[in-house]
Every structure is written in structure tokens, then in C-alpha cells.
Amino acid sequence: MHKLEIAGRPRGPDTPEALGFRPLYRQVKAIFVRRLVDGVWAPGAVLPSEGQLAAEIGVSQGTVRKALDELATENLVVRRQGRGTFVAEHDERRILFQFFKLAPDQGAPRFPDSVVLSVTTGPAEEAERAALDLAENAGVTRIRRLRSFDGAPLIVETLSLPQQLFPGLEGGPIPNNLYSLFAGRYGVTIASARERLKAVALTADDAAALGVPAGGPALQIDRVALSLDGTPVEHRLSLCLTEEVHYLSDLR
């Protein structure tokens, strides 16, 4: 049992260093995030009750509730009425809601199918090192795949992943839902992502993969995905055909 000490007194080992004068619920939230990072609370696991957590840490139940509310807003935990609070999983519904922003012009949003075109490894290139904050001699695994709706090519993309974080990834099957694989096999949970959008002309190789003429227009989505502790763990460059889809982002 670890008690959270405040007002200048020593803090328990669960508590991150240098919390400063952050509100108490933010300090409690930091404890919970560290448990997610360390795998103490695994994806899909049910959390102890708010009362149990409050007693363990030494704060009020309202403080725990406020910390969990923020984690729920950030899609890191899921509250289920009458069942409790669960660690969020990277199922297709969550990815569709949080990380996949292309939606058909007609019909409901859905998750695309994927075909892996190649999986290679090698030294990180300059752009990969910059995006993933890697050392000069670091290696990466690159996954190139084609994504489609109802058999119609939609996206060709290349993902660059640090080999140190995902050893042996190139040796096994690559599922459509990569974020679930990252969490389940490697203990790396994707918490957030930064995306940059730009209109580009397709190169001959990318156009061939998508089955369209070279030089045609595409939406380029340059994504860096971050783990729970803010470490960049994936660089993804996606080239998207947008004749029948659009990029949808809810601003709140």
C-alpha cells in the first residue's frame, strides 16, 4: 500500500518525481498513468473501486473520481455502468473513434481492410530518427501496407517502428489492428498521436499500389504516435485517395 503525501512531506514510491504544486487529483492521475505504463493495470483489466483506490493512496474518493474522469476523457479507461472502470483496449471501435479519421462520404464510418505489402528492417533514416527521437545507429522495422474499403484501394502507408521497442515484429504475422498487437505483445499502449495533413502528388510507386495514374492528387497524413509516457513509438506516412472519403475530426 502506498500513501500519497502532500504539503512538503515525503511521497510514496508510486508517485512521479517533481510533482510540484499540481492539483492533488493530477498527482493521483500521474500515479494511475504510471501503473498503465508499467503494466500493473493491463488492457481490459478492471480497476479497483474508487473507494479502494482512495484508501490505498490516502486521498478522498472524490479526488480519485476526478483523476479517473480525466483518464476516461483521454480514452485511457472506460467506465461501464454497473460493472466498474476498465483499462481501455485498442479494439477496432476505439481505434475508429480515436485514431482513424477517414470516413466514407456515404454510410457509417468503418475500419478498413489491410494487406501487408512488405516488412523490412534497417538503420533509421534521418526523417525517422527525427520523428521517433532515435539515436543515429538505431534500427527500425518498416511496414508497408495497402488499406481498402470493400476491395477498393484507399490508403498506401509506411509505418516506421523502433526495433528496440518491437523486437521480432518482422518475423510474425502483421494484423490489421496493429495498436492491439503493440499493447498485447509488447506492452506499448498508444495514448495519443500528432498528425500533419498535406495535399501531394502521388509518386509512380505509390500510384501503382493504389491503382491510379502517377502524379494524381492524394491526402498525405504524417502521424507520430505516442505511448502513455509521451515517447514517440510510431511514425506513419499515409497517402489517401479522397474521391469517396473525407477526413473527419471533431473539435471540442
Side-chain angles (χ1 to χ4, degrees):
M1 180 180 295
H2 301 296
K3 298 289 186 179
L4 178 64
E5 302 291 341
I6 57 177
R9 292 172 294 180
R11 297 181 172 92
D14 255 342
T15 311
E17 297 293 330
L19 289 173
F21 295 99
R22 283 188 289 176
L24 185 56
Y25 81 92
R26 286 284 177 87
Q27 299 180 38
V28 173
K29 176 189 172 186
I31 293 173
F32 294 164
V33 169
R34 175 47 55 187
R35 293 181 183 182
L36 295 173
V37 171
D38 292 343
V40 177
W41 292 343
V46 61
L47 271 58
S49 70
E50 291 177 357
Q52 290 174 309
L53 290 170
E56 175 192 348
I57 299 172
V59 297
S60 72
Q61 192 167 326
T63 298
V64 167
R65 183 176 301 117
K66 194 168 183 180
L68 292 175
D69 284 344
E70 277 212 357
L71 293 179
T73 299
E74 296 170 7
N75 300 303
L76 298 179
V77 301
V78 178
R79 294 187 180 277
R80 294 174 181 157
Q81 187 67 33
R83 297 179 58 193
T85 302
F86 294 76
V87 180
E89 298 180 89
H90 278 298
D91 55 21
E92 290 192 1
R93 184 177 180 276
R94 180 187 174 195
I95 292 177
L96 185 63
F97 171 75
Q98 188 176 2
F99 293 109
F100 189 76
K101 298 298 185 180
L102 288 180
D105 292 339
Q106 304 295 327
R110 60 190 189 273
F111 205 55
D113 298 320
S114 296
V115 174
V116 175
L117 302 177
S118 64
V119 181
T120 60
T121 60
E125 297 176 356
E126 183 178 355
E128 294 168 325
R129 293 198 302 270
L132 297 170
D133 194 22
L134 297 175
E136 189 168 349
N137 60 347
V140 295
T141 298
R142 301 183 186 93
I143 301 170
R144 183 169 168 84
R145 62 181 183 172
L146 181 68
R147 314 192 77 182
S148 60
F149 278 158
D150 302 323
L154 173 68
I155 306 166
V156 61
E157 64 185 7
T158 301
L159 296 83
S160 301
L161 308 164
Q163 280 185 284
Q164 184 176 6
L165 285 179
F166 303 102
L169 180 63
E170 69 280 2
I174 304 295
N176 191 13
N177 187 342
L178 280 170
Y179 287 1
S180 179
L181 173 71
F182 295 169
R185 184 186 299 177
Y186 297 101
V188 177
T189 296
I190 303 299
S192 61
R194 298 189 299 260
E195 292 188 338
R196 297 184 299 174
L197 278 61
K198 187 176 184 179
V200 298
L202 289 167
T203 65
D205 286 346
D206 292 329
L210 290 166
V212 297
L219 175 66
Q220 177 180 280
I221 303 175
D222 188 332
R223 171 191 294 181
V224 175
L226 309 174
S227 64
L228 286 164
D229 62 0
T231 300
V233 296
E234 175 202 74
H235 181 220
R236 180 183 304 212
L237 194 64
S238 303
L239 296 164
C240 317
L241 302 180
T242 58
E243 286 87 349
E244 298 181 4
V245 301
H246 56 276
Y247 187 94
L248 176 64
S249 179
D250 292 322
L251 305 178
R252 301 180 184 181

